[in-house]
Amino acid sequence: MIQLDISNAAKRIHIAVDFDGTLAYYDKWDNQFNKVGKPIPQMVQNIKSWLAKGYKVTIFTARLSHGVKEAEDSSTAIKQFLKDCGLPELPITAVKMYYFTHFVDDKAYHVAKNSGVVEGMDELIVND
């Protein structure tokens, strides 16, 4: 029996990575679900590094939330994108899962846990 030496951190870290604007360049949405932007090299390298450390990575994208045909087209395009980048076929979802420990997204803001304090959104925060 082969036993893998996986650290506790590797067992629990599961990173959800947004696709458009985070992993692939994105200008504007044109409803072409079968087309994707060019890879963002730094994020491709980040994912390779995380996978090498034993972390789990899932592609998290709203592209899969539009309909069955659109989701199939997007999934096929993203799978080919991953392959072209030298990445393995990673899970792809539009659903936030309880086991995600980290989110990497160009639109997200950090909230200090259990505080309601949002970092970087001063113009939208009620300060009364």
Side-chain angles (χ1 to χ4, degrees):
M1 173 187 240
I2 298 174
Q3 291 187 342
L4 299 176
D5 181 20
I6 300 173
S7 70
N8 287 333
K11 288 180 186 176
R12 62 183 153 87
I13 292 179
H14 192 143
I15 305 167
V17 176
D18 176 51
F19 188 72
D20 293 300
T22 302
L23 180 56
Y25 283 100
Y26 172 82
D27 285 330
K28 63 179 179 155
W29 185 246
D30 60 6
N31 288 323
Q32 293 183 318
F33 292 90
N34 61 339
K35 294 189 178 179
V36 297
K38 293 181 180 181
I40 298 173
Q42 181 61 54
M43 189 54 64
V44 171
Q45 193 55 44
N46 288 339
I47 292 173
K48 288 179 179 180
S49 174
W50 296 330
L51 293 171
K53 291 178 181 179
Y55 303 158
K56 295 181 180 184
V57 176
T58 294
I59 304 303
F60 185 70
T61 178
R63 285 174 170 257
L64 302 188
S65 65
H66 294 274
V68 174
K69 173 73 169 112
E70 293 85 353
E72 288 174 357
D73 288 349
S74 291
S75 181
T76 299
I78 293 169
K79 286 177 184 178
Q80 186 61 53
F81 173 95
L82 296 172
K83 183 177 180 181
D84 292 345
C85 290
L87 292 166
E89 188 171 309
L90 300 170
I92 306 168
T93 187
V95 178
K96 184 177 178 180
M97 302 294 189
Y98 75 92
Y99 48 76
F100 291 152
T101 59
H102 297 77
F103 284 88
V104 179
D105 189 321
D106 62 313
K107 293 182 181 178
Y109 288 88
H110 183 260
V111 177
K113 188 173 183 175
N114 298 325
S115 73
V117 175
V118 182
E119 298 173 1
M121 288 185 63
D122 296 338
E123 72 281 2
L124 298 177
I125 302 301
V126 176
N127 292 316
D128 300 329

